[in-house]
Amino acid sequence: EVQLVETGGGLVQPGRSLKLSCVASGFTFNNYWMSWTRQAPGKGLEWVASITNSGGSTYYPDSVKGRFTISRDNAQNTLYLQMNSLRSEDTATYYCTRHLYFDYWGQGVMVTVSS
Amino acid sequence: DIQMTQSPSFLSASVGDRVTINCKASQNINRYLNWYQQKLGEAPKLLIYNANSLQTGIPSRFSGSGSGTDFTLTISSLQPEDVATYFCLQHNSWPFTFGSGTKLEIK
């Protein structure tokens, strides 16, 4: 059974940093691209970042480019999202997703950016 | 960026009704369109990928159609457990973009 478990969320002040983790199980992690997607409270979904299976290439929308970094440790079956210079508009539930059709999602982790 | 215009934003229908939800892309996305169901407090679940392919384990009352810019999700016979918000996602080109969602309730 595919499982994606995110951790690392919480309350953080504007301008500070936070790192999310996602541990994957139930599939061969290093065969798949992976992504992060977020959902602001009561709002729609926004794709945040993707990474190739080797970690050699990454992709971001303009809204987070230069502030967020996606990475992975294939030996540990773990995906990361380093978030710097956080803004109030980054407040959202962040989901780890398997990139193939975004077919599996974690339960999500809440990030609140507020002073 | 490709804009995904989803309609309607809210839909109320009776059990057994045929329900359709639409997504229109601002440019050609071929068939690179997925549909998701999100129940309250849960993560989204993939229903349809590449416009018309049913994800494993999803009931056959769900179907997708369309190509190019216009896409439709159809529920052939609405069930009480289908109450949810439905989203489309285009994965034809970066940045991937979602529709704004359709909230479906039972009348």
Side-chain angles (χ1 to χ4, degrees):
Chain A
E1 179 194 5
V2 171
Q3 286 200 312
L4 300 168
V5 179
E6 304 98 335
T7 57
L11 174 64
V12 61
Q13 293 179 327
R16 304 298 292 264
S17 299
L18 200 64
K19 187 171 186 176
L20 306 181
S21 300
C22 169
V23 176
S25 60
F27 64 103
T28 305
F29 184 68
N30 61 13
N31 282 353
Y32 289 86
W33 290 35
M34 296 293 294
S35 295
W36 289 95
T37 302
R38 69 185 180 184
Q39 186 170 36
K43 301 295 185 182
L45 295 157
E46 181 186 17
W47 165 70
V48 170
S50 295
I51 188 167
T52 57
N53 56 320
S54 67
S57 293
T58 57
Y59 304 83
Y60 307 93
D62 287 346
S63 58
V64 307
K65 194 176 294 182
R67 299 189 300 122
F68 289 12
T69 302
I70 188 172
S71 62
R72 63 192 298 161
D73 181 342
N74 285 342
Q76 299 294 323
N77 287 356
T78 303
L79 178 72
Y80 301 102
L81 184 68
Q82 175 68 46
M83 304 183 292
N84 297 334
S85 302
L86 281 162
R87 306 167 180 168
S88 58
E89 55 263 38
D90 296 319
T91 293
T93 297
Y94 285 74
Y95 295 99
C96 167
T97 60
R98 197 170 75 168
H99 188 85
L100 182 66
Y101 307 126
F102 288 58
D103 56 351
Y104 288 97
W105 299 58
Q107 84 287 353
V109 62
M110 185 68 200
V111 173
T112 302
V113 183
S114 176
S115 54
Chain B
D1 297 3
I2 296 175
Q3 308 303 315
M4 301 302 298
T5 302
Q6 188 170 340
S7 62
S9 45
F10 181 80
L11 183 55
S12 182
S14 301
V15 172
D17 281 356
R18 183 181 182 86
V19 168
T20 60
I21 298 170
N22 301 294
C23 262
K24 186 175 184 67
S26 60
Q27 59 188 269
N28 179 21
I29 59 169
N30 301 292
R31 302 182 73 85
Y32 295 113
L33 189 286
N34 298 348
W35 289 99
Y36 299 85
Q37 176 193 66
Q38 186 177 30
K39 295 184 178 180
L40 197 62
E42 298 183 6
K45 177 194 295 185
L46 176 65
L47 301 174
I48 302 287
Y49 62 94
N50 290 350
N52 62 1
S53 294
L54 189 67
Q55 173 69 344
T56 303
I58 300 302
S60 60
R61 64 180 180 274
F62 291 93
S63 64
S65 63
S67 65
T69 60
D70 292 287
F71 300 85
T72 300
L73 172 70
T74 300
I75 307 173
S76 60
S77 178
L78 187 65
Q79 299 301 303
E81 59 267 31
D82 299 335
V83 169
T85 299
Y86 293 82
F87 294 95
C88 61
L89 164 70
Q90 71 80 17
H91 57 103
N92 179 77
S93 56
W94 308 101
F96 295 166
T97 45
F98 290 86
S100 55
T102 296
K103 189 172 183 180
L104 175 60
E105 74 162 28
I106 301 291
K107 198 180 292 184

